């Protein structure tokens, strides 16, 4: 590492910090060093009782990352200046280097800005693995970031192991009947971790680390609020769920109108997410969320094992052209008909 005099770096006694590193950066740590054995964790923050806190799933993920890897543990937070109040706690869970992403106009989660900045930091650090909690935000941020990095992603992991520099991502498959261990040939290996998967938390009070304050940009013209998209469908008592049997994108709008009128929320199957009609935060099933509403109204959902693994409803109402669809045998009420027509007529009747 080149050694250039940097009088602004307060942590260096000899002033040789190199490349104008920010205050607090240790001289002996080279940002451009090989870190292919390191792990980067997205540290999600929440507001509770007027204070900024770590999401409950984060300490477990950090503890697990430290347990399985001898490399450096990197963390990243997006926060205003009050994010500094969490440094000591974050370092106590094993983080060596924390990137504090800051913007004066920061007002909370912004998927495009976060994913762009997150991917840039990952490219700079070069970790072998990147982990995020499988929260509504994490489920959206992970695929956006993976796409920018052109790497793979494994969702909803319940366990993690490392052999060499390769992450083994472990998760239930086939409706929970088997446990699959997934490896990826692309780097970094990326995974989201199911909240509550790692409950054993190890904390070392007084442990020190390096915090790097780093600016990030917000594209105000293209950035849109996704507060609706990150609503937790697991809290809904009534769900109107859209499947592949719904053929028209306009029918999704009718589903939202109905949901607003009757106090429900809208969810979907994986095929609808793949079409780009709804975000993954609204997906129900093995690779989505497990929901337990009082009423689950399924439009055009066949009832695959993978989807029904996520449905624990008190009452299921099915609307489908196929009276012999697998979901019919699991439903309390079956309505045979065209899903698009029924959604439109139901929405019109409520409006009138």
């Amino acid at each position: 590492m080149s050694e250039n005099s940097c009088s602004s770096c307060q942590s260096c006694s000899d002033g040789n910090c190199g490349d104008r590193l920010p205050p607090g950066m240790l001289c002996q740590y080279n940002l451009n060093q090989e870190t292919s054995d390191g792990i980067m964790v997205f540290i999600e923050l929440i507001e509770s009782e007027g204070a900024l806190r770590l999401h409950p799933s984060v300490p477990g993920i950090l503890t697990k990352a430290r347990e399985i890897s001898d490399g450096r543990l990197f963390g990243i937070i997006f926060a205003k200046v009050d994010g500094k109040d969490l440094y000591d706690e974050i370092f106590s869970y094993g983080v060596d280097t924390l990137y504090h992403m800051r913007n004066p106009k920061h007002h909370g989660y912004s998927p495009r800005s976060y994913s762009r900045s997150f991917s840039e930091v990952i490219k700079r650090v070069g970790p072998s693995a990147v982990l995020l909690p499988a929260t509504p935000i994490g489920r959206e941020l992970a695929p956006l970031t993976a796409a920018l990095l052109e790497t793979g992603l494994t969702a909803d992991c319940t366990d993690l192991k490392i052999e060499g520099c390769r992450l083994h991502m472990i998760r239930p498959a086939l409706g929970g009947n088997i446990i699959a261990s997934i490896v990826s040939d692309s780097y970094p290996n990326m995974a989201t971790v199911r909240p509550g998967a790692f409950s054993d938390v190890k904390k070392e009070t007084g442990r020190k680390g390096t915090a790097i304050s780093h600016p990030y940009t917000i594209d105000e013209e293209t950035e849109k609020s996704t507060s609706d998209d990150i609503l937790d469908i697991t809290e809904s008592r009534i769900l109107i769920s859209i499947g592949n049997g719904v053929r028209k994108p306009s029918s999704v709008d009718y589903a939202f109108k109905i949901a607003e009128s009757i106090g429900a929320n809208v969810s979907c199957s994986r095929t609808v997410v793949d079409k780009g009609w709804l975000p993954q935060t609204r997906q129900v099933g093995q690779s989505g969320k497990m929901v337990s509403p009082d009423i689950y109204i399924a439009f055009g959902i066949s009832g695959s094992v993978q989807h029904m693994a996520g449905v624990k409803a008190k009452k299921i109402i099915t609307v489908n052209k196929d009276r012999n669809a697998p979901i019919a045998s699991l439903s309390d009420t079956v309505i045979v008909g065209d899903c698009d027509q029924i959604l439109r007529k139901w929405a019109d009747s409520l409006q009138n």
Side-chain angles (χ1 to χ4, degrees), residues 1-18:
M1 181 178 74
S2 62
E3 294 188 353
N4 301 320
S5 178
C6 177
S7 60
S8 64
C9 185
Q10 300 170 357
S11 65
C12 302
S13 59
D14 59 2
N16 294 325
C17 296

Side-chain angles (χ1 to χ4, degrees), residues 42 69 188 213 314 329:
F42 172 70
S69 174
S213 181
K314 294 180 181 178
S329 62

